[in-house]
């Protein structure tokens, strides 16, 4: 009898141990347990720690309460300004209601992923390319609102959505690169032109200041020579400036006053005598075709008007030893008129 009681006690203890092992559950700190008893939701959500369920009657579903990082696959779309882009994103969410996440949706992770993809396509079609590239914060907020609206009923809270990358076609990249380069070139030219304008104003002021002091130009020239000669890697050829000679000449004239020029009366008389011609030097009548020059004129300049004819002499003294001829024996002739052609060049009669 005692032996049978001991066997029954051992059997009961074994059954209790098996039941305890089948009913015992452990819920981790970052999880919550949802119990379905006979297919119906149990009121209480099991907290973290050790818990017991009815084996064969209750089913425990553990829900992760941590923030989930889910990448959104890249989506191809056309922007509002008709540019084909490829955009991918990342979404951060967590479960705030374990019972709704188990009851309201079959797989809340898959549902959130599909909703993120469709919302990303929609936000691409409503935005311009410039907004996708520069104003991403606004697009992130709009994408978060589009995903969070249906996710609230699933017991899921969307913490943050970020657009990760925007891929453009190669032709669009080259066009944007040319546009950026042209804009940079324009700004560089404007800055250079502004610098030239300011430099020209300063140079004009410097030139005006140097014009009052001629020595300043020479000092500036010497400073430039000193600056170039400091390199010691080139040959410097410096022509002697004419301005420096004029400056030295003016400085010397300022130190030594000029003396009045004196004229020698005898030398002036000799010069005047050398320039006059004796009228008696002309012997004999003029030859036909030979130009006649006034003996009182030392030099004649070129003129377009013909010179006046000289007076003809009737009696010319004959040389000694020549017999006289009778006037009747000499044939009558008229002297030829001198040429009316304009005189060219200078003529001097000695």
């Amino acid at each position: 009898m005692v032996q049978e009681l001991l066997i029954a006690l051992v059997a009961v203890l074994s059954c209790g141990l098996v039941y305890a092992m089948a009913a015992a559950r452990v819920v981790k700190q970052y999880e919550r347990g949802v119990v379905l008893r006979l297919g119906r939701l149990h009121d209480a959500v099991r907290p973290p720690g050790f818990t017991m369920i009815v084996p064969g009657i209750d089913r425990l579903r553990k829900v992760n309460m941590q923030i989930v990082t889910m990448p959104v696959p890249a989506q191809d779309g056309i922007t509002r300004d008709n540019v084909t882009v490829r955009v991918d994103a990342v979404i951060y969410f967590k479960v705030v209601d374990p019972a709704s996440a188990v009851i309201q949706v079959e797989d809340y992770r898959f549902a959130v992923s599909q909703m993120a993809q469709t919302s990303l396509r929609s936000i691409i079609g409503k935005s311009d390319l410039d907004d996708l590239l520069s104003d991403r914060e606004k697009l992130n907020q709009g994408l978060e609102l589009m995903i969070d609206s249906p996710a609230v009923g699933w017991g899921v809270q969307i913490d943050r959505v970020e657009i990760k990358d925007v891929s453009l076609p190669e032709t669009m990249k080259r066009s944007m690169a040319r546009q950026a380069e042209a804009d940079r070139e324009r700004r560089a030219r404007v800055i250079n032109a502004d610098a030239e304008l300011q430099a020209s104003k300063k140079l004009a002021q410097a030139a005006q200041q140097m014009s009052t002091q001629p020595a300043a130009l020479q000092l500036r020239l010497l400073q430039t020579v000193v600056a170039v000669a400091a390199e010691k890697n080139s040959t410097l050829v410096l022509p002697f400036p004419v301005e420096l000679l004029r400056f030295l000449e003016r400085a010397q004239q300022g130190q030594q006053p000029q003396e009045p020029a004196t004229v020698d009366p005898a030398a002036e008389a000799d010069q005047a005598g050398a320039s006059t011609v004796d009228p008696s030097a002309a012997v004999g009548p003029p030859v036909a075709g030979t130009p006649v020059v006034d003996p009182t004129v030392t030099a004649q300049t070129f003129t377009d008007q013909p010179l006046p004819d000289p007076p003809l002499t009737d009696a010319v003294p004959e040389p000694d030893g020549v017999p006289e001829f009778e006037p009747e024996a000499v044939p009558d002739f008229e002297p030829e008129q001198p040429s009316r052609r304009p005189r060219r060049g200078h003529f001097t009669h000695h």
Side-chain angles (χ1 to χ4, degrees):
M1 186 67 183
V2 176
Q3 185 178 2
E4 293 178 356
L5 291 176
L6 290 175
I7 294 173
L9 181 59
V10 171
V12 171
L13 292 176
S14 299
C15 292
L17 182 60
V18 172
Y19 178 80
M21 292 177 62
R25 294 291 187 271
V26 176
V27 180
K28 297 180 181 179
Q29 181 65 37
Y30 55 85
E31 295 177 342
R32 297 296 183 270
V34 178
V35 179
L36 297 176
R37 180 166 295 174
L38 297 177
R40 298 183 63 180
L41 177 65
H42 198 270
D43 295 337
V45 177
R46 303 299 173 89
F50 181 80
T51 184
M52 297 291 292
I53 62 173
V54 179
I57 298 176
D58 294 344
R59 294 189 60 185
L60 181 64
R61 295 279 303 270
K62 298 179 182 180
V63 180
N64 192 344
M65 304 296 292
Q66 292 177 320
I67 295 177
V68 180
T69 302
M70 178 182 293
V72 180
Q75 302 297 314
D76 294 329
I78 300 177
T79 60
R80 190 167 58 182
D81 50 356
N82 298 327
V83 178
T84 303
V85 294
R86 186 180 180 87
V87 183
D88 57 352
V90 59
I91 183 171
Y92 303 89
F93 67 94
K94 66 180 179 179
V95 178
V96 294
D97 188 359
S100 299
V102 174
I103 302 301
Q104 300 297 332
V105 63
E106 180 181 2
D107 186 356
Y108 66 90
R109 288 175 177 266
F110 181 75
V112 171
S113 176
Q114 295 300 316
M115 181 57 66
Q117 294 180 29
T118 55
S119 300
L120 184 58
R121 285 175 177 269
S122 178
I123 206 70
I124 290 174
K126 295 179 181 179
S127 304
D128 295 331
L129 179 61
D130 294 338
D131 296 336
L132 288 175
L133 297 176
S134 60
D135 196 6
R136 292 190 180 182
E137 189 66 27
K138 182 180 179 180
L139 297 179
N140 293 336
Q141 294 177 1
L143 188 59
E144 180 180 348
L145 291 175
M146 293 178 66
I147 301 174
D148 189 56
S149 299
V152 172
W154 304 337
V156 178
Q157 178 182 355
I158 305 299
D159 285 348
R160 191 166 185 175
V161 180
E162 292 286 345
I163 295 177
K164 187 166 56 174
D165 188 18
V166 178
S167 299
L168 300 175
E170 293 298 329
T171 55
M172 181 59 65
K173 290 181 180 179
R174 288 194 294 268
S175 300
M176 295 176 66
R178 288 195 299 268
Q179 179 183 0
E181 184 179 357
D183 185 58
R184 293 285 183 179
E185 185 69 20
R186 179 185 62 83
R187 284 190 287 178
R189 289 186 178 183
V190 170
I191 294 174
N192 191 15
D194 190 12
E196 291 291 340
L197 178 60
Q198 296 179 7
S200 62
K201 291 181 180 179
K202 295 298 181 181
L203 288 175
Q205 294 178 3
Q208 184 179 4
Q209 186 68 23
M210 287 184 179
S211 62
T212 58
Q213 296 292 335
L217 183 60
Q218 307 302 327
L219 295 177
R220 186 73 182 106
L221 177 61
L222 296 177
Q223 290 178 0
T224 304
V225 172
V226 171
V228 174
E231 297 293 335
K232 296 182 180 180
N233 58 358
S234 60
T235 303
L236 179 63
V237 179
L238 179 65
F240 200 74
V242 181
E243 290 80 1
L244 184 59
L245 295 176
R246 293 176 180 175
F247 173 73
L248 296 176
E249 183 180 357
R250 287 195 297 267
Q252 185 178 4
Q253 290 178 359
Q255 294 178 359
Q256 297 180 0
Q258 295 182 354
E259 296 181 358
T262 59
V263 180
D264 189 2
E268 186 176 7
D270 294 341
Q271 184 178 3
S275 62
T276 58
V277 179
D278 188 6
S280 63
V283 179
V287 182
T290 303
V292 180
V293 181
D294 191 358
T296 60
V297 180
T298 59
Q300 295 181 357
T301 58
F302 171 78
T303 58
D304 295 337
Q305 300 296 330
L307 296 176
D309 297 333
L312 299 176
T313 56
D314 295 337
V316 179
E318 296 181 358
D320 297 340
V322 178
E324 290 186 355
F325 294 94
E326 295 295 332
E328 292 79 4
V330 179
D332 297 333
F333 68 92
E334 295 182 1
E336 295 182 2
Q337 296 296 329
S339 177
R340 296 293 181 177
R341 291 182 302 174
R343 305 297 187 266
R344 299 182 181 274
H346 300 277
F347 299 93
T348 304
H349 184 75
H350 296 285

